[in-house]
Short mmCIF file of all heavy atoms in Angstrom, two decimals:
data_model
loop_
_atom_site.label_atom_id
_atom_site.label_comp_id
_atom_site.label_asym_id
_atom_site.label_seq_id
_atom_site.Cartn_x
_atom_site.Cartn_y
_atom_site.Cartn_z
N VAL D 24 -48.02 34.08 -6.08
CA VAL D 24 -46.82 33.29 -5.84
C VAL D 24 -45.57 34.17 -6.01
O VAL D 24 -44.63 34.08 -5.23
CB VAL D 24 -46.78 32.05 -6.75
CG1 VAL D 24 -45.42 31.38 -6.73
CG2 VAL D 24 -47.87 31.06 -6.35
N ALA D 25 -45.57 35.04 -7.01
CA ALA D 25 -44.44 35.94 -7.24
C ALA D 25 -44.20 36.81 -6.00
O ALA D 25 -43.05 37.08 -5.64
CB ALA D 25 -44.66 36.81 -8.47
N GLY D 26 -45.27 37.24 -5.36
CA GLY D 26 -45.13 38.01 -4.12
C GLY D 26 -44.41 37.22 -3.04
O GLY D 26 -43.58 37.75 -2.30
N LEU D 27 -44.71 35.92 -2.97
CA LEU D 27 -44.02 35.06 -2.00
C LEU D 27 -42.56 34.87 -2.38
O LEU D 27 -41.69 34.81 -1.51
CB LEU D 27 -44.73 33.71 -1.89
CG LEU D 27 -46.14 33.77 -1.29
CD1 LEU D 27 -46.80 32.40 -1.35
CD2 LEU D 27 -46.11 34.29 0.13
N PHE D 28 -42.28 34.78 -3.68
CA PHE D 28 -40.89 34.69 -4.13
C PHE D 28 -40.13 35.92 -3.66
O PHE D 28 -39.00 35.82 -3.18
CB PHE D 28 -40.79 34.59 -5.65
CG PHE D 28 -41.31 33.31 -6.25
CD1 PHE D 28 -41.66 33.27 -7.59
CD2 PHE D 28 -41.42 32.13 -5.52
CE1 PHE D 28 -42.11 32.11 -8.18
CE2 PHE D 28 -41.88 30.96 -6.09
CZ PHE D 28 -42.22 30.94 -7.43
N GLU D 29 -40.74 37.09 -3.82
CA GLU D 29 -40.08 38.34 -3.43
C GLU D 29 -39.78 38.37 -1.94
O GLU D 29 -38.74 38.87 -1.52
CB GLU D 29 -40.95 39.53 -3.82
CG GLU D 29 -41.01 39.76 -5.31
CD GLU D 29 -42.01 40.83 -5.72
OE1 GLU D 29 -42.65 41.44 -4.84
OE2 GLU D 29 -42.15 41.03 -6.94
N GLN D 30 -40.70 37.82 -1.14
CA GLN D 30 -40.49 37.78 0.31
C GLN D 30 -39.40 36.80 0.69
O GLN D 30 -38.70 37.00 1.70
CB GLN D 30 -41.78 37.40 1.03
CG GLN D 30 -42.86 38.44 0.93
CD GLN D 30 -44.16 37.97 1.53
OE1 GLN D 30 -44.20 37.00 2.30
NE2 GLN D 30 -45.26 38.64 1.20
N GLY D 31 -39.24 35.75 -0.11
CA GLY D 31 -38.18 34.78 0.12
C GLY D 31 -38.32 33.96 1.38
O GLY D 31 -37.32 33.46 1.90
N CYS D 32 -39.53 33.81 1.88
CA CYS D 32 -39.70 33.15 3.18
C CYS D 32 -40.19 31.71 3.09
O CYS D 32 -40.19 31.01 4.10
CB CYS D 32 -40.65 33.96 4.05
SG CYS D 32 -42.27 34.20 3.31
N LEU D 33 -40.59 31.24 1.91
CA LEU D 33 -41.14 29.89 1.79
C LEU D 33 -40.40 29.10 0.71
O LEU D 33 -39.96 29.65 -0.29
CB LEU D 33 -42.63 29.93 1.43
CG LEU D 33 -43.57 30.57 2.44
CD1 LEU D 33 -44.98 30.65 1.88
CD2 LEU D 33 -43.58 29.79 3.74
N SER D 34 -40.30 27.80 0.93
CA SER D 34 -39.69 26.92 -0.07
C SER D 34 -40.70 26.62 -1.18
O SER D 34 -41.90 26.87 -1.03
CB SER D 34 -39.26 25.60 0.59
OG SER D 34 -40.41 24.85 0.96
N ASP D 35 -40.21 26.04 -2.26
CA ASP D 35 -41.10 25.64 -3.35
C ASP D 35 -42.15 24.65 -2.86
O ASP D 35 -43.32 24.73 -3.23
CB ASP D 35 -40.30 25.03 -4.50
CG ASP D 35 -39.43 26.04 -5.22
OD1 ASP D 35 -39.53 27.25 -4.93
OD2 ASP D 35 -38.65 25.61 -6.09
N ALA D 36 -41.74 23.72 -2.00
CA ALA D 36 -42.68 22.72 -1.48
C ALA D 36 -43.77 23.38 -0.63
O ALA D 36 -44.95 23.03 -0.74
CB ALA D 36 -41.93 21.67 -0.66
N GLN D 37 -43.39 24.35 0.19
CA GLN D 37 -44.37 25.04 1.02
C GLN D 37 -45.36 25.83 0.17
O GLN D 37 -46.56 25.82 0.44
CB GLN D 37 -43.66 25.98 2.01
CG GLN D 37 -42.89 25.24 3.07
CD GLN D 37 -42.00 26.17 3.87
OE1 GLN D 37 -41.30 27.02 3.31
NE2 GLN D 37 -42.01 26.01 5.19
N ILE D 38 -44.86 26.50 -0.85
CA ILE D 38 -45.75 27.25 -1.75
C ILE D 38 -46.66 26.30 -2.49
O ILE D 38 -47.86 26.55 -2.63
CB ILE D 38 -44.92 28.12 -2.72
CG1 ILE D 38 -44.20 29.23 -1.95
CG2 ILE D 38 -45.81 28.71 -3.81
CD1 ILE D 38 -43.18 30.00 -2.76
N GLY D 39 -46.12 25.17 -2.96
CA GLY D 39 -46.93 24.18 -3.65
C GLY D 39 -48.07 23.68 -2.80
O GLY D 39 -49.20 23.57 -3.27
N ARG D 40 -47.78 23.38 -1.54
CA ARG D 40 -48.85 22.92 -0.64
C ARG D 40 -49.90 24.00 -0.42
O ARG D 40 -51.10 23.73 -0.43
CB ARG D 40 -48.27 22.49 0.70
CG ARG D 40 -47.62 21.11 0.65
CD ARG D 40 -47.28 20.59 2.03
NE ARG D 40 -46.29 21.40 2.73
CZ ARG D 40 -44.98 21.25 2.63
NH1 ARG D 40 -44.47 20.34 1.82
NH2 ARG D 40 -44.16 22.02 3.32
N ARG D 41 -49.44 25.24 -0.26
CA ARG D 41 -50.37 26.34 -0.01
C ARG D 41 -51.34 26.53 -1.17
O ARG D 41 -52.52 26.81 -0.97
CB ARG D 41 -49.60 27.63 0.24
CG ARG D 41 -50.50 28.82 0.50
CD ARG D 41 -49.73 30.06 0.78
NE ARG D 41 -49.17 30.00 2.12
CZ ARG D 41 -48.61 31.03 2.73
NH1 ARG D 41 -48.51 32.19 2.12
NH2 ARG D 41 -48.12 30.90 3.95
N PHE D 42 -50.85 26.39 -2.40
CA PHE D 42 -51.68 26.65 -3.58
C PHE D 42 -52.15 25.38 -4.28
O PHE D 42 -52.75 25.45 -5.35
CB PHE D 42 -50.91 27.54 -4.56
CG PHE D 42 -50.72 28.93 -4.03
CD1 PHE D 42 -49.54 29.28 -3.39
CD2 PHE D 42 -51.72 29.87 -4.16
CE1 PHE D 42 -49.37 30.57 -2.88
CE2 PHE D 42 -51.56 31.15 -3.66
CZ PHE D 42 -50.38 31.50 -3.01
N ARG D 43 -51.83 24.23 -3.69
CA ARG D 43 -52.25 22.94 -4.22
C ARG D 43 -51.75 22.71 -5.65
O ARG D 43 -52.51 22.35 -6.55
CB ARG D 43 -53.76 22.78 -4.14
CG ARG D 43 -54.27 22.77 -2.74
CD ARG D 43 -55.74 22.60 -2.69
NE ARG D 43 -56.17 22.59 -1.30
CZ ARG D 43 -57.42 22.64 -0.92
NH1 ARG D 43 -58.37 22.69 -1.82
NH2 ARG D 43 -57.72 22.63 0.34
N VAL D 44 -50.48 22.97 -5.83
CA VAL D 44 -49.81 22.70 -7.11
C VAL D 44 -48.54 21.92 -6.79
O VAL D 44 -48.09 21.88 -5.64
CB VAL D 44 -49.48 23.99 -7.90
CG1 VAL D 44 -50.75 24.75 -8.27
CG2 VAL D 44 -48.54 24.88 -7.12
N SER D 45 -47.95 21.33 -7.80
CA SER D 45 -46.74 20.54 -7.56
C SER D 45 -45.54 21.44 -7.26
O SER D 45 -45.48 22.60 -7.70
CB SER D 45 -46.43 19.65 -8.76
OG SER D 45 -45.95 20.44 -9.83
N ARG D 46 -44.60 20.87 -6.53
CA ARG D 46 -43.36 21.58 -6.23
C ARG D 46 -42.62 21.91 -7.52
O ARG D 46 -42.03 22.97 -7.67
CB ARG D 46 -42.48 20.72 -5.32
CG ARG D 46 -41.16 21.36 -4.97
CD ARG D 46 -40.22 20.40 -4.27
NE ARG D 46 -39.94 19.20 -5.04
CZ ARG D 46 -39.07 19.12 -6.05
NH1 ARG D 46 -38.38 20.18 -6.42
NH2 ARG D 46 -38.88 17.99 -6.70
N MET D 47 -42.70 21.00 -8.50
CA MET D 47 -42.02 21.23 -9.78
C MET D 47 -42.63 22.42 -10.52
O MET D 47 -41.92 23.18 -11.18
CB MET D 47 -42.04 19.98 -10.64
CG MET D 47 -41.15 18.87 -10.08
SD MET D 47 -39.44 19.38 -9.78
CE MET D 47 -38.92 19.72 -11.43
N SER D 48 -43.95 22.59 -10.44
CA SER D 48 -44.58 23.76 -11.07
C SER D 48 -44.06 25.03 -10.42
O SER D 48 -43.71 26.00 -11.10
CB SER D 48 -46.10 23.70 -10.95
OG SER D 48 -46.62 22.70 -11.79
#
């Protein structure tokens, strides 16, 4: 997930769906 943060290309909601975790996490 940190790698995705560095890329800056996905929202929290998109990352949450990809990894099956909540947007708040």
Side-chain angles (χ1 to χ4, degrees):
V24 168
L27 294 174
F28 292 159
E29 290 172 2
Q30 292 174 17
C32 58
L33 297 175
S34 70
D35 291 354
Q37 291 170 315
I38 293 171
R40 282 191 297 273
R41 180 178 285 191
F42 291 96
R43 296 181 180 170
V44 297
S45 73
R46 179 190 57 80
M47 290 306 295
S48 289

